[in-house]
């Protein structure tokens, strides 16, 4: 078995174990997730992500079974790592490679985690529009995350294959991200609305399946007179999966601007997705206070897209992944601080 498959398999086993626990192995029934619980789970997921970064820092070379200079040079060329090694010193070269791999992973994780916040805005709107009680949020989000992991796994490795075969596709990704960022900035103040009856996913499901407008506790399907009906809980799950698919079109090209190693893309992306559920419950009641966050995310996408378009020129200037990490954290920090220092004025009505 290859080292990549061992890393990948171990990671998947860890995910399955954590999701099994999250699905209710140690919980009792459907109930709202408290702010305290969300804070604890968010901290745990961040610590897991950081711990994985330490694994890469000390043993990252084991991912691709790098134990000689020839193999190291092969992987650096294959994944377009912008680093210089000391060919006469294998130990020093591996340390340089592992440090760079860790920075790429952490930068990708921060980018994906930040872009996930925009997903939270939409999720809040969806639950409200479909009239889903708060006590069922947890169940829908956990199953939504399972679907998101499967979809993103496919997206990431297909994307990596396309980049390996058609290098010019990076410029298309870059242009798309710049366009998306500009469009997000222009529409930053537009109030999003969801019409449950006319949403394309709901219309598709209603056309081909039996659908009931009534909830049946925390069940995704309702059995009546021997006929199985989809409940609104399952419909909102489908819409969330569809929404995540759209977000993946932005987020996955964004992380490929940080690293071309599909395994690092996958690890950082999935850790961000796994932390999304707890972050949702942490921010659900205060997300509206960060009104400049969309502006920050817009600038973030434009920066990442521009970096993809100008990567050759930036590398000549000595621009490294760590510089991207500093700029990305700076953009997010400024947008968060600005939201708190300059709170949004509420419209007063008589």
């Amino acid at each position: 078995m290859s080292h990549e498959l061992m890393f990948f398999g171990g990671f998947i086993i860890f995910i399955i174990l954590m999701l099994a626990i999250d699905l209710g192995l140690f919980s009792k029934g459907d109930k709202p997730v408290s702010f305290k619980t969300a804070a604890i789970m968010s901290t745990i997921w961040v610590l897991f992500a950081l711990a994985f970064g330490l694994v890469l820092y000390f043993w990252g070379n084991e991912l691709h079974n790098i134990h000689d200079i020839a193999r190291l040079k092969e992987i650096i060329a294959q994944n377009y790592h912008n680093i210089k090694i000391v060919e006469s010193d294998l130990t020093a070269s591996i340390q340089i490679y592992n440090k760079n791999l860790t920075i790429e992973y952490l930068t990708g994780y921060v980018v994906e985690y930040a872009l996930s916040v925009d997903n939270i805005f939409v999720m809040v709107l969806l639950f409200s529009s479909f009239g889903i009680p708060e006590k069922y949020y947890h169940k829908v989000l956990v199953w939504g995350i399972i679907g998101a992991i499967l979809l993103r796994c496919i997206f990431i490795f297909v994307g990596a294959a396309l980049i390996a075969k058609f290098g010019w596709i990076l410029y298309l990704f870059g242009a798309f991200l710049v366009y998306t960022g500009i469009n997000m900035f222009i529409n930053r103040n537009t109030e999003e609305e969801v019409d449950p009856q006319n949403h394309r996913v709901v219309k598709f499901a209603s056309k081909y399946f039996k659908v009931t407008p009534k909830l049946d506790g925390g069940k995704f399907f309702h059995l009546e007179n021997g006929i199985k009906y989809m409940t609104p809980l399952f419909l909102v799950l489908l819409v969330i999966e569809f929404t995540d698919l759209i977000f993946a079109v932005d987020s996955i090209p964004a992380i490929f601007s940080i690293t071309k190693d599909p395994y690092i893309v996958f690890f950082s992306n999935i850790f961000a997705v796994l932390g999304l559920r707890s972050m949702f419950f942490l921010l659900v009641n205060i997300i509206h206070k960060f009104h400049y966050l969309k502006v920050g995310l817009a600038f973030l996408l434009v920066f990442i897209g521009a970096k993809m378009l100008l990567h050759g020129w930036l590398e000549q200037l000595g621009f490294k992944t760590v510089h991207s990490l500093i700029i990305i954290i700076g953009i997010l920090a400024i947008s968060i601080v600005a939201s708190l220092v300059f709170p949004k004025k509420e419209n007063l009505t008589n």
Side-chain angles (χ1 to χ4, degrees), residues 58-346:
F58 290 107
W59 302 286
N61 58 298
E62 295 292 344
L63 172 61
H64 297 297
N65 194 24
I66 299 173
H67 293 285
D68 57 66
I69 290 294
R71 176 62 174 168
L72 178 58
K73 292 171 70 174
E74 177 190 348
I75 293 299
I76 289 173
Q78 179 180 313
N79 294 317
Y80 305 94
H81 294 298
N82 182 24
I83 56 175
K84 292 182 180 180
I85 61 173
V86 184
E87 295 192 32
S88 60
D89 191 335
L90 176 61
T91 301
S93 296
I94 286 179
Q95 288 176 347
I96 292 170
Y97 171 78
N98 286 355
K99 180 180 178 181
N100 179 76
L101 203 67
T102 304
I103 293 173
E104 288 184 351
Y105 162 76
L106 291 175
T107 305
Y109 173 69
V110 171
V111 168
E112 292 301 313
Y113 214 29
L115 292 176
S116 294
V117 175
D118 197 31
N119 213 342
I120 291 177
F121 283 104
V122 177
M123 287 180 178
V124 172
L125 185 62
L126 288 173
F127 282 129
S128 174
S129 300
F130 279 82
I132 304 299
E134 188 178 347
K135 62 182 180 179
Y136 300 135
Y137 288 3
H138 173 270
K139 182 176 183 178
V140 174
L141 289 177
V142 172
W143 283 105
I145 285 171
I146 292 174
I149 289 172
L150 295 175
L151 289 172
R152 288 179 184 236
C153 182
I154 296 170
F155 266 49
I156 288 167
F157 288 99
V158 169
L162 289 173
I163 290 172
K165 190 172 182 63
F166 309 105
W168 50 264
I169 203 170
L170 286 172
Y171 294 101
L172 289 182
F173 284 169
F176 175 73
L177 290 174
V178 170
Y179 167 79
T180 303
I182 293 173
N183 194 52
M184 181 182 288
F185 180 80
I186 292 173
N187 297 308
R188 64 191 183 280
N189 295 321
T190 302
E191 293 290 335
E192 295 185 72
E193 295 182 358
V194 174
D195 183 354
Q197 300 299 322
N198 294 312
H199 193 283
R200 67 188 74 179
V201 173
V202 176
K203 291 173 75 172
F204 175 84
S206 300
K207 183 177 180 180
Y208 295 101
F209 304 97
K210 299 290 185 181
V211 176
T212 176
K214 298 182 297 183
L215 284 170
D216 185 7
K219 296 179 181 178
F220 287 128
F221 295 94
H222 171 71
L223 190 64
E224 186 176 329
N225 298 325
I227 300 174
K228 185 176 287 186
Y229 292 85
M230 287 183 181
T231 68
L233 208 63
F234 191 76
L235 287 178
V236 77
L237 174 62
L238 290 178
V239 175
I240 285 176
E241 295 290 5
F242 177 77
T243 303
D244 184 74
L245 190 64
I246 296 173
F247 275 102
V249 174
D250 292 338
S251 65
I252 290 176
I255 199 171
F256 272 116
S257 76
I258 308 300
T259 178
K260 310 301 182 297
D261 188 324
Y263 292 96
I264 299 302
V265 172
F266 179 75
F267 297 145
S268 57
N269 201 287
I270 298 309
F271 265 121
V273 171
L274 289 170
L276 176 60
R277 182 198 62 82
S278 54
M279 186 168 63
F280 171 87
F281 292 107
L282 192 64
L283 300 178
V284 63
N285 293 317
I286 59 173
I287 191 72
H288 63 281
K289 294 183 181 295
F290 301 106
H291 53 284
Y292 283 120
L293 198 53
K294 275 191 176 291
V295 176
L297 294 177
F299 276 97
L300 178 63
L301 288 173
V302 170
F303 163 71
I304 293 171
K307 180 176 176 291
M308 294 182 85
L309 294 172
L310 304 172
H311 71 276
W313 181 69
L314 289 173
E315 286 178 8
Q316 291 179 4
L317 291 177
F319 194 87
K320 303 289 186 181
T321 305
V322 67
H323 299 139
S324 293
L325 178 58
I326 293 169
I327 292 173
I328 289 166
I329 291 176
I331 291 173
L332 295 173
I334 290 171
S335 63
I336 291 172
V337 171
S339 298
L340 298 176
V341 174
F342 306 103
K344 189 175 183 180
K345 294 180 180 180
E346 300 292 339

